[in-house]
Every structure is written in C-alpha cells, then in structure tokens.
Amino acid sequence: MRTLWKGAISFGLVHIPVGLVSATSQEGVDFDWLDKRTMDPVGYKRINKVTGKEVTKENIVKGVAFEKGRYVVISEEEIRAAHPDSTQTIDIFAFVDSAQIPLVNIDTPYYLAPQKRGEKVYALLRHTLVDTGKVALAHVVIRTTQHLAAVMPVDSALVLVLLRWPAEVRSLDTLELTEAVTKVTLSKSERDMAKRLVKDMSADWQPDEYVDTFQDQIMQLVETKAREGKIESVETPGDADEQKSADVIDLTELLKRSLNSKKPRAAESAKTAAPNKKKAAEAPAPKRRSPARKKAT
C-alpha cells in the first residue's frame, strides 16, 4: 500500500520513524473563485456566474466571504505564508483516556507503519498505550494543513486518527432538545423490555456482512436493461464519429458483463429448450465479475 507521508512520532526525546498509510477511501478556509475584474463568482469550470462567460486563469483570484455578497481577496503569497511549517513530525503533547475524546470529533483514520530501525520503539509505544489505557494527542501537518490528531493502538499496530478541531463541532444546544426528551419519565417495564430487545438483538462485529449494495444493484440494473436492448445512443454535436466509436466500446463492455452474469440453466429447462438454444443452456456460464470498488486514497 502506498505511503502518503513519512516522518516520525515525537514525544519527549523519543522519535519513532513512521509512514502514513490511508485507512479509508476520502477541508480549512473555503475559497471561492472570483472574477477579479468584476468580483463576480466564478464556477469551477471558470465560468463567470453573472455573465456566463469563461474567465481565464490569470483573472481568477481567491476570496473569503466576509459578509453576504462581500469578499476579502487573499493572494497566493498570503495563503502560503499562513500555512504552518511542515515539520514531518507527529508531535505528541498529551496522553488522555480514549473515552474522553467525543465521538463527533473523530474524523479520518490512517495506519502508522513503522519504518526501518523504528520497529522496537514503535512496539513499545503501542504496548504502553494498551497498558495505560491512554491515547496520545498530537499535532501533525499534512499537505500544509495542521491537524489535531490522536495516536491509538489497534490490534498490533498504531493508528493516527485526525480529529475535528473543537470549534468545528457544533454544540448539542443546536438540537434544542425539549424536556420531553431530557426529562422523560420511563417506567420499569419499558426499560426492561428495551433491555430485553437489545439482548435479543446483540451480535458480534461482523465487518464482512456490512456491505454497501448500491453499486451492485445499479450495475445489475444496467446489465438487465442492456440485455433488454434499453440502451440509448448519445451523440455530441460536431463529434458524431468519435461518439459512435465510444458507444460501441461501451456496449461491448456491457454485453461482456451481461454474459458473465448469466447462470447455467436448470437441467429441466435445458431439456425443454429449443434445439438451437440447448447448447448455450448446458454450457457453464463464466463467473460474473463484481463491479470494481473505489480505490482507497
């Protein structure tokens, strides 16, 4: 797996060389593009949202909304100067109980891979965190952005979890919960029944069973419609020949997937099938390939 960042965990005089590896597939000041000649908003396709005309790169500046309809323009030099220095270290500044970190502050996890000659001290830190029941709070700069993070043990490895800054997490007061929730009266029988239901539904963590089936269902629908001939040809004006070629390629791929998705027919169906279809029914169908999943970044 590709290492995204190399540096060291640092606490006291201890330095542990590590590499950062993404554990998932996956923002700072929100800069909007503006036309510097008119201060009109510019879309990400460099189109002036007011005039509808294209804006060249040299006419685009970055602005931060100060008030509705009013922006403060920030130059690239000012942005670079504001970035924190990249020290290539995960600077631990405190150890806390993991339960003290609110769930809503947890953002993105990364695996920490020990680098050469850092294996023993890496293992020492992991064992120490396990023995003390603590996690390490740290500061780390990744791609010029400073993060609050937690270093914690997971099985035989260490994980760096980027945390949302406390100012980024809204207070529960925003929910405006009423006394119907905060001071509700629950009977003993209601509590007992709820506990019994939880007990009956209790299970072990089974990650292989928790699958997002949306992509599979969509691809099955595409294949079904392709077999039924429900395929639309779309041509771009002025480029009909190129688009036609692309349609053929797409259709070929869909047909391949369709063939791969077919299963062998039952023996009884094969016997009653027409002679010209019997061979195809008896032949084993190729194993259907699952749609490719998004690569972790």
Side-chain angles (χ1 to χ4, degrees):
M1 189 175 292
R2 186 169 65 92
T3 300
L4 305 176
W5 176 96
K6 287 186 178 181
I9 299 173
S10 174
F11 65 104
L13 299 177
V14 179
H15 285 260
I16 308 172
V18 294
L20 207 62
V21 178
S22 178
T24 64
S25 52
Q26 183 182 23
E27 262 171 15
V29 178
D30 187 12
F31 290 106
D32 293 322
W33 281 4
L34 308 172
D35 187 332
K36 74 176 183 181
R37 299 164 297 181
T38 61
M39 288 296 110
D40 296 327
V42 177
Y44 284 107
K45 290 187 178 181
R46 295 176 182 169
I47 301 297
N48 187 310
K49 294 181 181 180
V50 174
T51 65
K53 296 180 180 180
E54 185 176 356
V55 182
T56 57
K57 186 177 180 179
E58 58 269 19
N59 286 320
I60 294 176
V61 293
K62 292 180 178 179
V64 179
F66 179 70
E67 295 174 347
K68 186 176 181 180
R70 302 180 67 194
Y71 284 80
V72 173
V73 175
I74 307 293
S75 70
E76 292 293 342
E77 292 75 16
E78 290 170 320
I79 294 172
R80 283 194 293 269
H83 280 312
D85 293 333
S86 180
T87 60
Q88 295 302 110
T89 57
I90 300 169
D91 292 312
I92 294 174
F93 62 86
F95 293 90
V96 301
D97 293 333
S98 59
Q100 290 183 315
I101 301 177
L103 183 62
V104 291
N105 284 74
I106 295 176
D107 195 344
T108 308
Y110 291 91
Y111 294 127
L112 288 171
Q115 301 297 293
K116 192 174 182 180
R117 297 188 298 276
E119 295 88 350
K120 186 172 183 178
V121 67
Y122 177 97
L124 176 60
L125 176 58
R126 189 193 68 81
H127 278 287
T128 303
L129 293 176
V130 171
D131 292 342
T132 60
K134 301 286 186 179
V135 299
L137 290 182
H139 291 127
V140 60
V141 177
I142 303 175
R143 299 193 186 97
T144 73
T145 301
Q146 186 181 51
H147 300 273
L148 178 66
V151 177
M152 57 182 63
V154 174
D155 293 333
S156 58
L158 288 173
V159 172
L160 178 79
V161 179
L162 300 187
L163 303 176
R164 297 181 179 91
W165 295 99
E168 295 177 334
V169 179
R170 293 176 177 174
S171 167
L172 282 176
D173 293 341
T174 58
L175 287 179
E176 299 180 353
L177 298 176
T178 66
E179 291 188 356
V181 174
T182 59
K183 295 184 179 181
V184 64
T185 300
L186 298 170
S187 67
K188 184 178 183 300
S189 62
E190 289 171 329
R191 289 174 179 263
D192 289 342
M193 284 190 291
K195 291 177 183 178
R196 194 156 57 245
L197 178 60
V198 170
K199 182 178 179 180
D200 291 344
M201 295 180 66
S202 294
D204 293 326
W205 172 257
Q206 300 288 346
D208 292 340
E209 297 182 5
Y210 315 138
V211 180
D212 182 359
T213 61
F214 176 77
Q215 184 177 359
D216 290 344
Q217 291 179 4
I218 291 298
M219 290 309 302
Q220 288 173 9
L221 179 61
V222 169
E223 293 167 5
T224 299
K225 290 194 172 187
R227 286 195 298 270
E228 295 172 352
K230 297 179 180 178
I231 302 175
E232 302 292 337
S233 297
V234 180
E235 292 188 2
T236 303
D239 197 16
D241 293 339
E242 182 179 345
Q243 185 62 40
K244 182 178 180 180
S245 175
D247 288 340
V248 172
I249 294 173
D250 291 343
L251 176 57
T252 301
E253 181 61 24
L254 287 174
L255 290 174
K256 286 181 180 178
R257 292 179 182 175
S258 298
L259 289 172
N260 289 337
S261 69
K262 291 183 179 179
K263 296 180 179 179
R265 297 179 182 176
E268 294 182 2
S269 298
K271 291 179 180 179
T272 58
N276 62 334
K277 295 182 180 179
K278 188 172 182 180
K279 283 188 177 181
E282 293 174 346
K287 186 176 179 182
R288 190 172 81 85
R289 294 176 297 175
S290 299
R293 297 189 177 277
K294 185 178 180 181
K295 186 178 180 181
T297 56

